[in-house]
């Protein structure tokens, strides 16, 4: 499949939609009705929600504005790296359910009306005729979240006449979770709801105590030896910093960043290039060497001028060819707020999943993590990467965090991606590859392989050309053919988009991808295949070309067991259940009965591999209970 080299397909699609929808009346506060019913079509695109469309509104003057309104933030000093901030609104004459507070960054952002930008949202499939605000809020919350606000339980007298109060105002307080995103922030009070917003008052700029602070460190493997680990972190400081580790060893960081100019655009500017942009600061990376596999060490990172992280304990993964590996795998995590805010693109299950995995790390149950695409769901709203990195840091800073690229990291019109949907919001893989440097062959070639314990992992990009004449296809063919199965008897193939799914989701499987790549799996005797993209858990029989080549048998504990001593075909597992709103299954089991386990719950896949067997379990992140278990053995 040749990647699209121009945007003509998008322009034709856009023109047709305008033709069919352009004459319909637009709503002042919501999507066009024909688009409200198109959630299936846009399920894997940049999400559409009321808050998401906030900056599609005309910013108007607020009528009947109270002269007493103030926005006050309770701070004894500048903002720390993480804190819960109380924002109090005073001076409301008539508390309204339509009043809300937004956190804006940077504080000088223009939140005025930008009517010429309304066409930008066509990239997300939204063609309603509503203008854009010039900048997108980080998060927002209605004042009604304070139960005492609308009832005016907190009152203050603003005017007396002959000792009697003649003007009383109401107040309310909201609590926002704030992390260090390096730029000043400001809290704005809006009236008119998300549909017809108008600015009522603002807090004034608030600064972080140390915008240069090194933060959000995470580690990954650079090779199969387990003796070198890459540490990546974010700082507002462009000068090289250090990682200090293993009794006094130090390594200097390489520093990089990206800018608006690195973001993709087409005939239309993208969210990443326009109203969704946020300065990423500087991304530091250093490789810790002379380690031992399957061992525990300490490190810290930073500099005397910018500050230092806390000391962090981490564990190296087992070397390739050793007997044992314990890992977890999942896709489609994203992030969720730790307060009642609404944000761009919330993945509601992500907090429970990462917290459950943190418990596994704290119990020494995990050597490594594999996150197979749809990483942060920032999709052009760049501050989302900071919040995601913060969310995973208590896991990713302690064990090897390996990733694969997904559609929401890479896809964009005329960018060279296989799929020309605007799912990345214009990021085109640049932030992903900067924040998560994997052992890939080159820039924008995000495929690689790595050995850990008894497993060889082949990690591909389903968003880059995988047709037989492509570079990636030739690479994966050579990579899998060269695996020494006496050293790593298990071969796991992983990427983002699945080959099999019985979920009721729009365009969940690309038949051409299956037709082109599936024969390689059989030819190289791939044992297990992990995919995401569909937001649930599903496990197959040993399958090839829609047919079960072998079925598992029950062991003495009643667990499905696949015997690959006499190999027949790979086992597939869809594991995209780590955060995004879940996809439901139909009641119909596939006619050929290849789907053996189907679970629509948040969780992750936990695995324990030796050279003789792999034990795998779907773990529900809320209950910690095992929902599905299976084994693959070799005698």
């Amino acid at each position: 499949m040749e990647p699209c080299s121009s945007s003509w397909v998008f322009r034709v699609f856009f023109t047709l939609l305008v033709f069919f929808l352009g004459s319909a009346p637009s709503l002042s506060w919501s999507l066009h009705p024909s688009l409200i019913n198109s959630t299936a079509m846009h399920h894997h695109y940049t999400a559409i929600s009321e808050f998401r469309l906030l900056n599609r509104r005309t910013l108007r003057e607020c009528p009947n504005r109270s002269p007493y309104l103030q926005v006050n933030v309770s701070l004894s000093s500048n903002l720390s790296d993480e804190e819960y901030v109380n924002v109090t609104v005073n001076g409301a004459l008539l508390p309204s359910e339509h009043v809300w507070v937004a956190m804006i960054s940077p504080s000088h952002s223009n939140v005025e009306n930008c009517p010429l930008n309304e066409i930008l949202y066509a990239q997300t499939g939204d063609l309603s005729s509503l203008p854009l605000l010039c900048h997108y809020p980080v998060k927002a919350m209605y004042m009604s979240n304070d139960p005492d606000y609308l009832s005016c339980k907190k009152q203050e007298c603003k005017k007396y006449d002959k000792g009697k109060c003649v003007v009383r105002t109401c107040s309310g307080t909201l609590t926002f979770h704030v992390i260090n995103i390096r730029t000043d922030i400001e809290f704005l009070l809006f009236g008119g709801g998300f549909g017809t917003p108008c600015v009522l008052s603002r807090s004034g700029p608030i600064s972080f105590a140390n915008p240069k602070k090194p933060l959000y460190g995470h580690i990954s493997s650079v090779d199969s030896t387990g003796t070198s680990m890459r540490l990546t972190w974010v700082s507002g400081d462009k000068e090289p910093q250090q990682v200090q580790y293993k009794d006094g060893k130090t390594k200097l960081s390489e520093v990089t960043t990206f800018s608006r100019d690195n973001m993709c655009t087409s005939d239309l500017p993208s969210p990443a290039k326009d109203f969704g942009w946020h300065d990423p600061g500087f991304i530091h990376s250093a490789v810790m060497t002379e380690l031992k596999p399957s061992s525990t060490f300490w490190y810290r990172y930073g500099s005397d001028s910018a500050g230092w992280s806390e000391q962090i304990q981490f564990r190296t993964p087992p070397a390739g060819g050793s007997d044992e590996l314990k890992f977890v795998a999942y896709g489609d995590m994203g992030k969720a707020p730790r307060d009642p805010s609404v944000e761009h693109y919330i993945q509601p299950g992500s907090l429970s999943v990462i917290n459950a995995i943190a418990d596994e790390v704290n119990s020494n149950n995990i050597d490594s993590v594999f996150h197979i695409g749809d990483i942060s769901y920032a999709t052009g709203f760049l501050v989302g990467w900071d919040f995601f990195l913060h969310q995973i840091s208590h896991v990713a800073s302690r064990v090897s965090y390996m990733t694969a690229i997904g559609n929401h990291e890479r896809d964009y019109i005329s960018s060279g991606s296989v799929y020309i949907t605007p799912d990345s919001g214009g990021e085109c893989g640049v932030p992903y590859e900067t924040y998560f440097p994997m052992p890939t062959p080159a820039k924008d070639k995000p495929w690689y392989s790595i050995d850990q314990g008894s497993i060889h992992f082949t990690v591909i990009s389903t968003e880059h050309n995988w047709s037989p004449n492509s570079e990636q296809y030739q690479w994966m063919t050579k990579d899998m053919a060269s695996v020494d199965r006496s050293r790593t008897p298990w071969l796991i193939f992983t990427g983002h988009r699945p080959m099999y799914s019985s979920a009721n989701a729009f365009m969940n499987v690309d038949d051409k991808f299956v037709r082109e790549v599936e024969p390689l799996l059989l030819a190289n005797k791939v044992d297990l295949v992990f995919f995401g993209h569909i937001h649930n858990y599903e496990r197959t029989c040993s399958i090839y070309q829609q047919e079960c080549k072998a079925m598992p048998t029950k062991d003495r504990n009643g667990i499905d067991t696949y015997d690959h001593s006499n190999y027949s075909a790979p086992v597939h597992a869809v594991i995209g259940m780590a955060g995004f709103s879940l996809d439901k299954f139909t009641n119909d089991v596939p006619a050929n009965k290849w789907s053996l386990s189907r679970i629509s719950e948040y969780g992750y896949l936990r695995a324990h591999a030796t050279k003789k067997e792999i034990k795998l379990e779907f773990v529900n992140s809320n209950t910690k209970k095992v929902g599905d278990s299976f084994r693959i053995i070799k005698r």
Side-chain angles (χ1 to χ4, degrees), residues 454-519:
S454 55
I455 301 176
H456 179 90
F457 293 90
T458 297
V459 184
I460 72 155
S461 168
T462 56
E463 313 312 300
H464 290 74
N465 196 346
W466 29 252
S467 62
N469 62 346
S470 69
E471 180 182 353
Q472 182 176 204
Y473 184 94
Q474 299 302 318
W475 171 85
M476 70 176 82
T477 301
K478 182 179 179 180
D479 176 75
M480 289 189 286
S482 63
V483 177
D484 182 352
R485 302 302 280 265
S486 65
R487 182 172 176 271
T488 52
W490 305 107
L491 174 53
I492 293 180
F493 182 91
T494 187
H496 185 59
R497 295 176 186 257
M499 294 183 177
Y500 293 94
S501 172
S502 64
N504 186 20
F506 180 77
M507 291 182 63
N508 53 2
V509 171
D510 182 344
D511 292 336
K512 187 170 184 180
F513 171 59
V514 179
R515 188 167 60 251
E516 302 274 3
V517 178
E518 189 182 26

Side-chain angles (χ1 to χ4, degrees), residues 551-620:
M551 297 293 288
T553 58
K554 300 290 186 183
D555 67 9
R556 60 185 179 183
N557 297 314
I559 296 174
D560 278 0
T561 301
Y562 301 80
D563 189 347
H564 281 195
S565 305
N566 185 18
Y567 181 83
S568 57
V571 179
H572 288 246
V574 172
I575 53 174
M577 64 291 172
F580 201 99
S581 297
L582 294 167
D583 289 326
K584 303 299 181 182
F585 292 100
T586 64
N587 293 326
D588 301 327
V589 176
N592 47 16
K593 298 182 179 180
W594 51 259
S595 180
L596 303 186
S597 179
R598 304 194 294 174
I599 301 173
S600 185
E601 296 171 353
Y602 292 116
Y604 54 95
L605 193 68
R606 181 171 61 199
H608 183 188
T610 66
K611 289 195 172 184
K612 293 185 178 180
E613 72 170 344
I614 308 180
K615 298 178 181 178
L616 301 111
E617 298 172 320
F618 167 81
V619 181
N620 181 306

Side-chain angles (χ1 to χ4, degrees), residues 168-180:
R168 294 182 185 275
T169 61
C170 310
S171 66
T173 300
L174 303 175
T175 301
F176 286 84
H177 176 241
V178 179
I179 64 169
N180 191 341

Side-chain angles (χ1 to χ4, degrees), residues 379-401:
T379 58
F381 294 78
L382 277 303
V383 74
W385 281 104
D386 284 291
F387 278 89
F388 174 75
L389 291 170
H390 171 269
Q391 179 173 288
I392 67 167
S393 61
H394 54 312
V395 168
S397 63
R398 298 187 56 195
V399 294
S400 177
Y401 199 94

Side-chain angles (χ1 to χ4, degrees), residues 180-241:
N180 191 341
I181 52 177
R182 297 166 302 281
T183 56
D184 290 354
I185 66 172
E186 186 170 11
F187 291 95
L188 270 65
L189 179 66
F190 285 88
F194 292 162
T196 54
C198 56
V199 176
L200 290 166
S201 185
R202 51 201 313 162
S203 69
I206 305 166
S207 301
F208 288 96
N210 183 3
K212 292 185 176 182
K213 182 69 177 291
L215 295 165
Y216 318 136
H218 51 283
I219 59 176
S220 58
S221 299
V222 299
D223 57 33
S224 300
T225 65
T227 62
S228 298
M229 299 294 292
R230 180 181 298 278
L231 173 65
T232 305
W233 67 94
V234 182
S235 172
D237 183 17
K238 67 179 180 180
E239 297 302 320
Q241 298 174 3

